[in-house]
Amino acid sequence: PADPLFPQEHGLDFQRLLDASAYKERYREDMIRWGEEKRRADPGFFCRKAVEGAAQAVWVVSDARRLSDVEWFREVYGEAVQTLRVVATEETRKRRNWVFVPGVDDAESECGLDQGVAFDWVITNDGDERSLEEQLEPLLQSLRGRL
């Protein structure tokens, strides 16, 4: 969840929903459904929650789930937005204990940005620390230049 509202409304442990545990998997489909209902009622709901009380010279949007989220940030913050996508191979994800769940992992909340979005930055995180640092350095330099 983007914020603790879902666990609060449903009497769940917010911290346990942040990891890759069986606890999270038990509620993931319900969280997705709940999130979809919130977005249908108000497409900017989660974006506004994410930025509540914050003012930044640069916004790095790295965990958007839908095109509408990316569009909201670009519309509200314009040139201050940098979109970042972190990818890993399916093999790497499986090593990290990810298991594909039909109806969940192929839902818009999980793959809605797989096509049709031009990200400013794409970082591959397959566990190679040196490669990750080499990819992050230009991003960090660019962000420092915007401050």
Side-chain angles (χ1 to χ4, degrees), residues 60-139:
V60 178
V61 179
S62 63
D63 194 23
R65 296 301 178 119
R66 289 170 184 73
L67 180 57
S68 61
D69 295 342
V70 173
E71 290 171 341
W72 185 89
F73 272 94
R74 286 180 173 158
E75 181 179 311
V76 172
Y77 295 107
E79 294 296 316
V81 171
Q82 289 288 286
T83 55
L84 169 67
R85 181 172 179 120
V86 180
V87 298
T89 64
E90 191 169 322
E91 179 181 302
T92 297
R93 296 172 73 200
K94 286 179 180 177
R95 276 197 319 268
R96 294 174 179 159
N97 298 319
W98 173 78
V99 176
F100 180 83
V101 177
V104 175
D105 289 307
D106 51 2
E108 183 184 7
S109 65
E110 301 303 312
C111 58
L113 295 176
D114 287 353
Q115 298 175 18
V117 178
F119 287 92
D120 298 305
W121 302 90
V122 177
I123 304 292
T124 300
N125 182 8
D126 280 325
D128 180 340
E129 190 173 323
R130 184 175 179 178
S131 172
L132 188 58
E133 287 176 13
E134 288 172 356
Q135 295 173 79
L136 289 173
E137 189 54 39
L139 168 62

Side-chain angles (χ1 to χ4, degrees), residues 46-55 59 72-73 76-77:
F46 290 107
C47 296
R48 281 192 309 282
K49 285 288 187 189
V51 302
E52 208 168 68
W59 289 93
W72 185 89
F73 272 94
V76 172
Y77 295 107

